[in-house]
Structure formats: structure tokens, C-alpha cells
Amino acid sequence: MEVRRTVPVALDVDSNDAALLEDTVDTFLWCAQYVVDHAFQGESVTTSKTTLDDETYDDVREKTDGFNGGLVQAARNKAAEACKSVVARWKNGKKASKPRMTSPHVVYDHRTATFHDEYVSLATTDGRIEADYVLPDKDSDTPHAEYLFADEYETTGAELHRKHGEWQLHIHCKMEVESDTPEQATTENGTVLGVDLGVNNLAITSTGTFWTGDEFDHWRREYENRRGDLQECGTRWAHENMQSVGRKEEARFKMTLHRISNELVAEARDHECSVIAFEDLTDIRDRTGASWGHKWAFNRLYEYVEYKAEEHGIDVEQVDPENTSRRCSHCGFTHPDNRESESFECQKCGYENHADYNAAKNIGLRYLRRNQTGGDEGEPLGVRLNSGTLNVNGEYESPAEVSARTGVHAEESHPFTGG
């Protein structure tokens, strides 16, 4: 099994090389947009990388005065992925328009970048440049020490970004490992952990564990106030300090989300879950009224959980979120009046509970129904509660019943048991 990591590394770049990198970013994005525009010219959108390469490669190279061939192909791949995403949304009945390639970055692989211990060589619009890494001490407890400096991890590529006035290389690493969860136990005795994401509670699981958004909201307001005070100054010093505040804010939020993701994966392992099911994050701002900052946090948390769960042989999936907050996880009745703020009360059967907890169970149930799961075929047996499970029909099964069928141990009772 492959374990993949991405490590952000700051680069020490002088003004001349910085100008080259800026030009390379602009050219890379132009190439990607050219391919996207070409893909949308016909009656249907072209998504095949091979077809797009055959039809655009020579033109792009000519129009960019011989831009590096490897970077042209990387831009084509980025464009093809964006086009595939649009087509997938159309197939699901969702709105999507032609992609605009505006996010400033460049994708590198081993043809266009050479990774050394203390510096990197990068292809640009005018030959190659060398940029030193700005690294913490090798003995420090950082992702750099754990992945970038580790002999077990192989560097596979990187993305170049400019954030807060600083050039960063997001280096991709991978390692082959054996899962510490026996495959047979995972497939035969596994259950699904449903996870709901929200503003007041960042994450809630079907086992009844809550991670509140209080700390996140506190620091978001704190950093917004700091930036507002600095912006009023309007000086160069204030501008530089705003960039520093942005870096500190991102670092603090990443640290918080890493902690939550570690605890969430531990929750899945403690309850012997083989799948962690999230709601589809695509339109989460429209559904929840979340801010841009919350959407960023949701996506980052999902990414962290996805790669950390992979180490333990746990799959991470997304399901259609429609009506998961309005549907009764007890009887299945769906109605807008079932939910009021954070309270859920079914208008049909009278079931009451925390609305986000009810939604987390529904997310797990939707994964079961989507995959027609059942223990006879080695699929997850149900949605995991703190004690017992919900089967595909939403019926509660006690720890004793689960234990009798699968050998899973019984657990202590919990306020949410059976609910």
C-alpha cells in the first residue's frame, strides 16, 4: 500500500529568479487555459489527455516560444482534470461552467525538477534556476523531518506556489507500507463511521464524538482584527506584518486540523471501522452558510483524514448530502420541520437528538445504501454508534447482536446508544 505526503518548503529566491518564476507561472496557466478552451470547442467536452495532447501540444509550444515540454504536458494534465470535474458535475445534475485557470502555481515532476538535499533545480521559461530550501533543523519534530528527510520516503514531484509574498514548493513524497490492520478483519468486521461537518461543530461522528468550532472561530476573528488594524496603517511595515499574520493564521489552523484528523482516524480505528464517510464537500458553503475559511478547513480536514486513514487500511468516501440534516435516522421520514437550528425532532416518530449527530448517522447510512453493503459479501456491516450499529435499514443492533455475528467486542453504554 502506498502512503503519500505533501510537505510545504519555503524557497530562498533572489529577485531575478523570482521574476523568472512569475513568468513561468503565467505561462503555465496560459497553457492550461488554452487546452481548456480547446476542450470546450466541440459539441462535447474533450477530457482525454491523449487526444488533448495530440491536438494542442504543437500549438502551445509554438505560441509560447518553446516553453518546456514537460511543463506543457503538466499544464495539459491539469486542464484535463479540470474538464473531467466539470463533466462529472453535469452527470450528477449540478451546474458547472468552463474552468478558469487562475490559481497561481506550476506542477513539476522529475523531468522538470531535480530535488537535492538542500536545494531544488526548477525548469522555467528561460532555462533552470536553483533555489535553496529554507528548512527547520533536521532533528525537529516537523513534517520535514518525518517525510522529507526520511530515507523511507521517495520524492515524486511538487507544486510551486506563491503565498503571502513567499515562494513555496509543496513537495510530494510516497512510501510503500504494510497496513497494520489485517485485511480480513477489516473487510469482514468493518463498519462505517459517518462524519458531518458544520460551522458550530467542525466535525461530528456517528459514534457521538463532537469537535466544536469555538477555537477555530475565536482565532479566525482574532486574526481578522489584527489584519484590520494593520490595514488601517497603510504602511509598508503594516503590509509586511499582514503577511506574517496570514502565515501564523494558516499554521495555527493547520495544527488544529491535524489534531482533529488524528483523533477522527483514531475514533474509526477504536471502533474497527473500515470506511469513514463524509458528505460531498462541493457545495457545502451553500448548504451550511459556512464562510470561505470554514470551507477551506473542511477541505483540508478531509485531505488530512484521507491520507492518514490510508495508513491503516481505512477507506474515506464522500456521499450525496441531500436531506441528511432533514431525514430522521430512526424512521427515515424527511421533512424541513424536522430540524430547527441544532435540534432535531422527527415530525413522524418523535425521535429527538442533536441535529448534527442525526446527520452524521444519515451520512453513514447513505454510504451503506449506495454500496448495497452487507456482511455476507465482506462489506461494512452497519453505521457505527458508540455502542452497537445501525444496519442498512436504519435498524439498531445492540453490541451483543453485533458480537454474535462478527466477533466484535461489546462496548460501554453511551448517551447516544441506539439513537
Side-chain angles (χ1 to χ4, degrees):
M1 179 180 70
E2 282 188 358
V3 173
R4 295 179 178 271
R5 296 290 183 269
T6 298
V7 183
V9 178
L11 300 179
D12 184 7
V13 179
D14 64 31
S15 57
N16 291 332
D17 287 345
L20 269 179
L21 292 180
E22 291 277 11
D23 191 41
T24 303
V25 169
D26 291 342
T27 306
F28 181 85
L29 295 179
W30 184 93
C31 294
Q33 190 64 54
Y34 183 93
V35 176
V36 167
D37 293 343
H38 179 86
F40 274 73
Q41 283 180 356
E43 294 183 1
S44 60
V45 178
T46 304
T47 59
S48 166
K49 293 179 182 179
T50 302
T51 302
L52 290 173
D53 186 65
D54 291 342
E55 296 178 354
T56 65
Y57 181 81
D58 291 339
D59 286 345
V60 169
R61 290 270 287 169
E62 181 180 351
K63 293 178 183 295
T64 56
D65 295 325
F67 188 47
N68 182 279
L71 294 180
V72 169
Q73 291 181 324
R76 175 212 65 206
N77 292 344
K78 200 76 176 178
E81 291 165 4
C83 292
K84 286 180 180 178
S85 177
V86 168
V87 172
R89 286 180 60 82
W90 288 346
K91 289 181 178 179
N92 290 327
K94 297 180 179 179
K95 294 181 179 180
S97 56
K98 184 172 73 172
R100 305 300 304 173
M101 312 304 287
T102 57
S103 177
H105 73 287
V106 180
V107 179
Y108 285 96
D109 59 21
H110 281 290
R111 295 174 299 168
T112 52
T114 305
F115 303 93
H116 301 277
D117 289 342
E118 297 181 352
Y119 69 96
V120 65
S121 170
L122 299 172
T124 70
T125 50
D126 186 16
R128 284 186 171 241
I129 67 163
E130 292 182 354
D132 291 336
Y133 299 143
V134 180
L135 296 170
D137 189 276
K138 289 189 176 183
D139 295 328
S140 62
D141 185 18
T142 66
H144 308 79
E146 188 173 355
Y147 310 125
L148 192 60
F149 297 144
D151 294 335
E152 298 86 354
Y153 278 87
E154 170 193 356
T155 301
T156 59
E159 282 194 12
L160 178 71
H161 295 264
R162 189 175 187 189
K163 304 181 70 174
H164 310 301
E166 176 185 80
W167 288 101
Q168 287 188 0
L169 199 63
H170 293 189
I171 301 177
H172 306 312
C173 310
K174 73 174 183 178
M175 176 179 66
E176 293 288 340
V177 300
E178 293 184 6
S179 171
D180 62 357
T181 303
E183 184 176 353
Q184 185 177 2
T186 299
T187 56
E188 290 185 359
N189 298 335
T191 51
V192 180
L193 183 72
V195 182
D196 182 59
L197 302 176
V199 175
N200 295 330
N201 295 295
L202 285 180
I204 310 92
T205 67
S206 56
T207 52
T209 300
F210 285 62
W211 288 270
T212 71
D214 294 345
E215 181 182 1
F216 181 89
D217 289 337
H218 166 76
W219 284 108
R220 184 168 58 87
R221 290 191 296 269
E222 178 71 20
Y223 285 116
E224 283 178 355
N225 291 335
R226 291 183 191 179
R227 279 194 296 270
D229 293 340
L230 290 168
Q231 195 167 17
E232 289 182 0
C233 296
T235 63
R236 180 180 178 83
W237 172 86
H239 177 70
E240 291 174 349
N241 274 272
M242 282 178 63
Q243 293 176 334
S244 176
V245 167
R247 288 193 293 271
K248 291 178 180 178
E249 178 182 28
E250 184 173 342
R252 177 180 289 276
F253 289 157
K254 283 182 177 179
M255 180 177 65
T256 300
L257 295 171
H258 270 298
R259 174 180 58 79
I260 294 174
S261 65
N262 286 335
E263 293 173 358
L264 208 156
V265 172
E267 183 85 356
R269 295 184 67 203
D270 289 346
H271 290 88
E272 298 183 338
C273 297
S274 58
V275 178
I276 301 174
F278 285 80
E279 59 187 305
D280 189 320
L281 304 182
T282 305
D283 300 313
I284 195 166
R285 286 190 67 183
D286 297 335
R287 297 194 305 273
T288 65
S291 66
W292 180 91
H294 280 100
K295 185 178 187 301
W296 173 87
F298 297 152
N299 282 295
R300 189 54 63 95
L301 178 62
Y302 179 84
E303 292 171 3
Y304 289 167
V305 171
E306 188 175 36
Y307 78 70
K308 291 176 181 181
E310 184 182 29
E311 289 188 46
H312 306 289
I314 301 172
D315 293 331
V316 180
E317 302 285 346
Q318 294 187 24
V319 301
D320 184 351
E322 185 177 7
N323 287 326
T324 50
S325 65
R326 299 174 175 179
R327 181 187 184 279
C328 177
S329 60
H330 185 70
C331 74
F333 179 69
T334 302
H335 195 279
D337 293 341
N338 282 352
R339 175 168 188 165
E340 182 177 351
S341 185
E342 294 188 348
S343 298
F344 186 93
E345 181 179 358
C346 180
Q347 303 301 299
K348 182 178 180 181
C349 73
Y351 169 74
E352 295 183 50
N353 219 311
H354 193 287
D356 294 335
Y357 173 63
N358 177 73
K361 291 195 292 181
N362 279 326
I363 289 168
L365 286 169
R366 183 151 294 171
Y367 174 83
L368 289 183
R369 295 183 178 115
R370 186 187 75 182
N371 294 275
Q372 294 295 299
T373 52
D376 292 340
E377 298 178 3
E379 296 289 346
L381 296 165
V383 177
R384 198 66 171 89
L385 309 179
N386 183 269
S387 180
T389 64
L390 292 178
N391 65 24
V392 71
N393 297 316
E395 299 167 342
Y396 173 68
E397 296 185 343
S398 70
E401 291 173 309
V402 174
S403 179
R405 289 193 297 110
T406 69
V408 177
H409 66 280
E411 300 192 6
E412 297 296 326
S413 61
H414 187 277
F416 293 125
T417 296

